[in-house]
Amino acid sequence: MSTRLFSLSALLCVLIAPFCLNSVAAPAVTAKQGFHAARLPASFFAGNRARLLAELKKMGPGTIAVIKSMPEQNRNGDSTHMYRQDSDFYYLTGVEEAEAVAVLDADSNQAYTLYVRKRDQRREAYDGVRLGVEGALQLGANKAEAFPAAEESLKNVVSKAQRVVLVSNFDEDFRRKMLDWIYPFGSDNNHSSHKRILIDGRHLVAEMRVIKQAAEIDMLQSAVDVTVAGHLAAMKASLTAINEGEVAAGFQGTVRSMGARFTGYDTIAGAGRNSCVLHYLTNDHDIEAGSLMLLDAGAEVGYYTADVTRTWPVSGQFSKEQKAIYELVLKAQNAAIDLVKPGRVHHEGFDTAMRILSDGLVDLGLLQGDKDSVYKSGAYSRFTMHGISHWIGLDVHDTGDYQMETGKRGGRRVLVPGMALTVEPGIYIPKDANDVDVKWRGIGVRIEDVILVTPEGNRNVSDKLPRTVKDVEAVLKKRN
């Protein structure tokens, strides 16, 4: 089922429209054109529950799974952070509400029970309509009960199970409650021949999420399309911006106007020396003339997030030194992307990229010595500092192992179609690197794209956003 409501070409046409810096909220995109309220179909979540139930049945009779929603998080004394559901819970239920618990019973014909908050007219006047029992049933539950009355029912279900597979990522209080129910104080259960077992189910769901289904790929593409629009708006804003915050606002306002209720992570918009700070989040320093702007930002659409980084000159044209570093990073990224294909090992891209960056840093005079010796010493890591790839999907650093216990390739994970990952090499030369020629100092470059492993090789999901020096400068020139 397609969730994309308009084509990328139409999206880019919208972006060519005039853009006012004093209103960096973004181009004219109507709600009808955008991705507002984009969600996957109920059949997607039902299919995921069926897959998990099949795994539970393999564990034997008396096995249940208990999946807990994300708890609300306090922001300060009298408010909470905007609520975003736990990714595992959402993947299995589609429920976006707090204070919910899902139970899957491998032995029951009515396997799916959903426990939710009770309807409350007063609270709903403040916070919005709640699902309640009726809403839970409409979302596919076989049975539903409402808290707080349902607490005893949930306790009874858990207490009677032989195996409880718990999927709870962030709610430590709930985990402790489960322990009390499974192993009650004073019980002789631990000496029983049918000892109950609590199993951490997070890894089980994590591995389910590694291979993206068609609907997920489509939603991920939607998130990337919106992200591309945001980056282009930020590039436009940077040409006349005084402060990094204006550039961040260009991105954030654009993606929100197009239906991204969240960004997948806090936006990184660093200019000059701040481009060398990997997770720079302040975004409120003035922009020096002639500096580079590094924007690492991704929109979240329908709970799936993009993760894209571009680096560009706020003057509209790279200096000689900026261009040299940029083209070296791009060379490493292209080589790593070429290795994203079925049958290759995930880590190969890192090794290849680091060799290219190391050799290039020697060529530029930033590292000294024989290329083989320099690479083997790891001296390049001073200017590279991080890995170049991670899974992406419901989370920006999505779930799933990078190493497997078995396999023919030294335990490292082999790529297969349906995996989605980033490729993001970078070079960072701090402003205070006093042993480096001054012409290089303060240059930070990262280039990051979302790559899908396909049966034929790979697809750069974010390839509509310019990457080459020529194309980046052309976009900046066109927007002057």
Side-chain angles (χ1 to χ4, degrees), residues 202-421:
R202 290 175 296 179
H203 183 265
L204 194 61
V205 181
E207 285 303 304
M208 290 172 58
R209 288 170 49 187
V210 172
I211 309 300
K212 303 299 185 286
Q213 301 167 55
E216 294 179 277
I217 293 170
D218 200 49
M219 190 67 83
L220 182 60
Q221 181 70 67
S222 297
V224 170
D225 288 349
V226 173
T227 298
V228 168
H231 273 260
L232 291 172
M235 292 173 76
K236 159 70 177 180
S238 73
L239 294 173
T240 53
I242 296 173
N243 188 278
E244 296 162 337
E246 297 171 66
V247 180
F251 175 82
Q252 293 166 345
T254 298
V255 302
R256 185 65 185 95
S257 74
M258 296 176 66
R261 190 152 50 104
F262 303 96
T263 54
Y265 52 99
D266 290 333
T267 297
I268 299 168
R273 68 169 64 228
N274 295 328
S275 67
C276 298
V277 182
L278 301 187
H279 288 175
Y280 173 74
L281 301 176
T282 309
N283 300 341
D284 67 354
H285 286 85
D286 287 346
I287 300 172
E288 295 181 10
S291 64
L292 290 176
M293 168 61 65
L294 187 153
L295 180 70
D296 187 338
E300 181 179 294
V301 173
Y303 278 77
Y304 286 77
T305 184
D307 184 6
V308 177
T309 306
R310 289 293 185 269
T311 310
W312 67 88
V314 296
S315 68
Q317 186 171 5
F318 289 93
S319 71
K320 179 182 177 181
E321 288 75 25
Q322 290 169 348
K323 180 179 178 181
I325 296 297
Y326 188 95
E327 290 188 329
L328 177 56
V329 173
L330 182 62
K331 180 181 179 181
Q333 190 202 28
N334 284 334
I337 290 173
D338 286 343
L339 291 172
V340 177
K341 59 185 65 175
R344 302 307 293 254
V345 171
H346 177 264
H347 198 76
E348 286 183 272
F350 174 82
D351 294 336
T352 297
M354 290 306 107
R355 182 64 201 236
I356 290 171
L357 295 180
S358 181
D359 289 355
L361 289 167
V362 172
D363 289 336
L364 294 174
L366 284 155
L367 295 176
Q368 307 295 325
D370 170 76
K371 287 182 178 179
D372 286 341
S373 299
V374 169
Y375 176 67
K376 290 176 183 177
S377 74
Y380 59 85
S381 63
R382 174 188 176 188
F383 300 115
T384 60
M385 294 190 286
H386 60 76
I388 69 160
S389 180
H390 56 78
W391 310 131
I392 189 166
L394 283 166
D395 296 318
V396 63
H397 287 192
D398 212 29
T399 57
D401 287 338
Y402 295 93
Q403 304 224 6
M404 306 297 283
E405 293 180 2
T406 59
K408 298 179 180 179
R409 305 297 292 273
R412 289 180 171 173
R413 189 142 202 173
V414 176
L415 299 176
V416 299
M419 289 178 169
L421 58 147

Side-chain angles (χ1 to χ4, degrees), residues 76-89:
N76 51 28
D78 61 354
S79 68
T80 59
H81 285 283
M82 186 175 177
Y83 187 75
R84 197 272 191 188
Q85 186 58 273
D86 174 76
S87 294
D88 284 344
F89 189 84

